[in-house]
Amino acid sequence: MIVAERKPLTEIIKAVAPFAKVLVLGCGECVTVCMAGGDKEAKETAAAIAIARKKTGQELVVKTLTVERQCEFEYLESARKLVEEADVVVSLACGVGIQTMNIHYAKVQTLPGVNTTFMGLPLQQGIWVENCLGCGNCVLEETVGICPIARCSKSMLNGPCGGSQDGLCEVSKETECGWHLIVERMIKFDKLSVLSEVKPPKDWATSHSGGPRKMVREDVKL
Amino acid sequence: MSMSNLQKVVASGAFAVTGELGPPKSAERKKIEHHAHLLKGCVDAVNLTDNQTAIVRTSSIACGRILIEEGLDPVVQITCRDRNRIAIQSDVLGAVALGMKNFLCMQGDHAKCGDEPSAKNVNDLDSTNLIQSLRRMRDEQVFIGGKKLEAPIDLFIGAVENPFADPFEYRAYRLAKKVEAGADFIQTQAIFDMDRFELWMEKVRELGIHKKIPILAGIIPIKSMGAVRYMKNNVSGMIVPDAIIDRIKAAEDKKEEGIKLCVEMINHLKTVEGVAGVHIMAVAWEEIVPEITERAGLLPRPKFD
């Protein structure tokens, strides 16, 4: 899933200060699951804006709506009436949803209400970890299902660096060493010999490094 | 093919000694020259760290040129942290054009460890990729992208290994992999835990790596309690046993005890099969290297015409 966290309310309140009619738009997908931008958070955000505005005495009409999926045009139609009535939209969707809104409703500004953090999984309630960078050339088959690109702080291909101790990364005691996990799992599957092979430099052209990516599939185009 | 001084020492079979110079956080050439003069005649080559611990310092290649002008043989450290393959290959060519031959390939501490934690970590290549790429530039005259170099270059390619990092069981295999990628010599992380180092060397010998490549064992002379505590608590991938801390703590003259410990370790390392030399990292205590090398019987250094 795409993991996000809500921007500080003070930041959101400041961003909408010039506007009288505000729509806070939640998304029913990933950000609902990671408790950053679903219906509950949209209502909380709207309430916070309203309380802040009361103090200034400035006029405000704040409404909320949560669409099923902000990252696809067809799901945005249900919001048309409220969007067109608003001076500004605060989207609590990920960066993809926010941009989809700005394309679909080009006349209204949609501002970000969350910081999109990473693609990852909820390890346990309240803890999410990053595990895919979308590099466009998956190596998981070579690394027993643990990604060295996302899980190693240095995205190394040929094994751990010299900064790993007790299974932890030098970057933080809160961060597991991805390569430590890979090596342990390789030992378990008796695959450590795979690591002896020298991997050549990675082709990063398939990642964002190659420029913004676009995928065209003739077989499914209408 | 012309050889660097370090390469000649290693080829002669003599017990090699390398030193280390941490470039300043300034552009003071005199400081670099001063440290170079302290090391001259005591070591066969001098490592120039590449923004070590992710702290901005004078470029290792620029310092390498100063060392050559002062009559020393530089080992240019290259990390993968700050430069992509275009910049690294270009810098290596530039360094060779300026007379440098020894290059030590390493990953580099993460930018979060240093003074510029907001920096983008490049890591286009990993350290093994870097070794392999330099080897191909030298042996096949080819860049990573496949284009040919217009003329051959001489390189003496170093790699690092840290027997004190985890997972420990994998560390000797990792060394073997770096040798397979093209490393010509190895320098290790500083040793304080001699038992663990010897355990690692056992595995290295079992794999026969020591017969393929000279391994220079890393040493850091302890100057004070503050320094040894800092290394124990703040330097990633280092193990400092309590016995060492206690020994320095108990000593009246901490510096003398640090030197004694260092000399003892060097003398012991001379007896460890497969150790071809020592790499003395007396950064910020360069002036002690003449005394340590003298007392450890490492002087005079071999000379070649």
Side-chain angles (χ1 to χ4, degrees):
Chain A
M1 64 190 279
I2 293 178
V3 183
E5 59 183 353
R6 191 164 54 191
K7 278 181 175 287
L9 288 167
T10 49
E11 204 178 304
I12 297 173
I13 290 161
K14 196 177 162 201
V16 301
F19 305 98
K21 295 174 191 162
V22 179
L23 171 65
V24 180
L25 190 64
C27 175
E29 293 282 357
C30 313
V31 290
T32 293
V33 183
C34 71
M35 296 174 275
D39 197 46
K40 179 171 166 279
E41 292 79 22
K43 284 177 177 145
E44 280 171 9
T45 306
I49 295 169
I51 292 165
R53 200 61 78 86
K54 248 186 197 164
K55 285 185 194 160
T56 65
Q58 204 190 339
E59 187 196 343
L60 174 76
V61 179
V62 61
K63 293 185 177 171
T64 63
L65 179 71
T66 297
V67 296
E68 200 176 329
R69 188 183 298 163
Q70 266 192 56
C71 59
E72 286 193 60
F73 296 135
E74 60 186 285
Y75 291 95
L76 298 181
E77 272 308 306
S78 62
R80 180 166 292 277
K81 186 169 173 292
L82 289 180
V83 172
E84 286 177 350
E85 282 171 9
D87 297 331
V88 73
V89 178
V90 175
S91 165
L92 298 189
C94 69
V96 182
I98 298 162
Q99 294 186 69
T100 312
M101 276 293 293
N102 277 302
I103 295 166
H104 197 64
Y105 295 112
K107 285 184 187 160
V108 185
Q109 261 195 85
T110 298
L111 306 176
V114 302
N115 291 319
T116 307
T117 42
F118 51 77
M119 279 194 273
L121 62 87
L123 201 59
Q124 42 178 282
Q125 177 76 18
I127 300 176
W128 292 266
V129 288
E130 179 172 31
N131 53 19
C132 179
L133 290 191
C135 72
N137 189 3
C138 194
V139 297
L140 283 169
E141 68 186 50
E142 297 163 17
T143 53
V144 284
I146 299 167
C147 179
I149 308 300
R151 305 288 300 275
C152 165
S153 299
K154 302 173 184 177
S155 295
M156 296 174 71
L157 287 173
N158 281 292
C161 76
S164 160
Q165 258 177 344
D166 304 321
L168 300 176
C169 172
E170 70 183 23
V171 166
S172 153
K173 296 246 183 292
E174 306 295 314
T175 308
E176 286 176 300
C177 167
W179 270 108
H180 196 107
L181 298 172
I182 294 170
V183 169
E184 277 187 340
R185 197 164 155 84
M186 279 184 160
I187 292 169
K188 205 177 281 177
F189 283 87
D190 199 20
K191 279 196 163 170
L192 200 58
S193 58
V194 175
L195 258 192
S196 305
E197 187 193 323
V198 177
K199 298 265 181 277
K202 185 171 172 67
D203 176 5
W204 293 104
T206 58
S207 77
H208 177 71
S209 186
R213 290 166 280 180
K214 185 176 190 174
M215 189 169 79
V216 179
R217 275 187 56 184
E218 296 299 338
D219 61 325
V220 292
K221 270 170 80 176
L222 289 176
Chain B
M1 195 183 117
S2 75
M3 285 162 97
S4 72
N5 188 58
L6 176 62
Q7 210 169 352
K8 285 177 194 164
V9 173
V10 162
S12 76
F15 193 76
V17 184
T18 51
E20 187 154 304
L21 193 155
K25 289 185 230 172
S26 68
E28 294 164 281
R29 186 182 168 116
K30 278 199 175 132
K31 224 181 223 177
I32 302 158
E33 286 172 353
H34 172 68
H35 288 149
H37 294 158
L38 292 170
L39 297 172
K40 198 171 177 178
C42 308
V43 296
D44 305 314
V46 176
N47 282 40
L48 293 156
T49 52
D50 179 11
N51 299 302
Q52 84 260 27
T53 59
I55 289 170
V56 181
R57 293 167 181 279
T58 310
S59 134
S60 55
I61 294 172
C63 292
R65 181 61 215 170
I66 295 170
L67 254 61
I68 288 174
E69 286 167 19
E70 298 306 314
L72 288 98
D73 185 26
V75 179
V76 178
Q77 297 193 178
I78 308 180
T79 71
C80 300
R81 180 192 58 226
D82 308 322
R83 285 167 288 182
N84 70 7
R85 63 190 76 180
I86 301 172
I88 289 180
Q89 292 179 102
S90 160
D91 278 354
V92 167
L93 292 182
V96 173
L98 289 170
M100 284 152 249
K101 290 197 173 65
N102 312 313
F103 293 89
L104 186 71
C105 305
M106 53 220 298
Q107 197 66 32
D109 294 325
H110 195 276
K112 266 196 177 173
C113 304
D115 289 349
E116 301 283 358
S118 305
K120 186 166 186 178
N121 289 263
V122 179
N123 298 319
D124 174 24
L125 305 176
D126 72 16
S127 47
T128 309
N129 293 153
L130 177 56
I131 295 161
Q132 190 186 37
S133 304
L134 295 193
R135 204 254 309 143
R136 294 189 67 212
M137 281 173 81
R138 182 191 61 199
D139 297 350
E140 301 167 34
Q141 286 179 50
V142 68
F143 292 112
I144 297 169
K147 290 277 189 258
K148 283 277 194 184
L149 277 77
E150 289 166 5
I153 51 170
D154 289 332
L155 301 172
F156 191 45
I157 305 164
V160 294
E161 189 46 77
N162 183 3
F164 309 103
D166 290 318
F168 178 67
E169 318 78 64
Y170 181 58
R171 289 289 150 186
Y173 292 103
R174 181 154 172 70
L175 182 72
K177 188 171 183 171
K178 287 184 171 183
V179 174
E180 197 201 318
D184 300 315
F185 70 97
I186 302 294
Q187 289 175 325
T188 77
Q189 173 65 287
I191 305 159
F192 292 106
D193 186 344
M194 192 58 83
D195 293 342
R196 177 148 158 161
F197 177 76
E198 295 211 52
L199 206 60
W200 176 74
M201 277 305 298
E202 249 173 54
K203 189 73 193 173
V204 166
R205 287 192 298 268
E206 195 185 306
L207 296 172
I209 309 168
H210 67 302
K211 293 200 170 139
K212 295 181 184 164
I213 194 167
I215 297 168
L216 277 56
I219 292 282
I220 295 183
I222 297 171
K223 192 180 183 180
S224 65
M225 272 311 286
V228 69
R229 278 211 188 100
Y230 178 83
M231 285 186 278
K232 186 178 175 77
N233 302 323
N234 300 81
V235 180
S236 50
M238 205 175 258
I239 296 176
V240 185
D242 288 336
I244 299 259
I245 307 249
D246 294 343
R247 179 170 161 182
I248 301 295
K249 205 178 188 175
E252 213 165 282
D253 184 345
K254 315 274 185 218
K255 283 186 183 175
E256 172 57 24
E257 200 61 29
I259 297 165
K260 255 195 205 161
L261 178 70
C262 192
V263 170
E264 278 170 29
M265 284 174 103
I266 293 171
N267 283 329
H268 179 72
L269 285 165
K270 286 182 198 165
T271 69
V272 177
E273 190 193 345
V275 172
V278 283
H279 175 50
I280 306 170
M281 294 168 270
V283 172
W285 201 19
E286 286 86 355
E287 65 270 25
I288 205 62
V289 176
E291 185 175 342
I292 288 173
T293 46
E294 175 69 47
R295 282 169 65 174
L298 298 169
L299 300 182
R301 300 308 311 149
K303 278 202 167 74
F304 305 89
D305 294 326

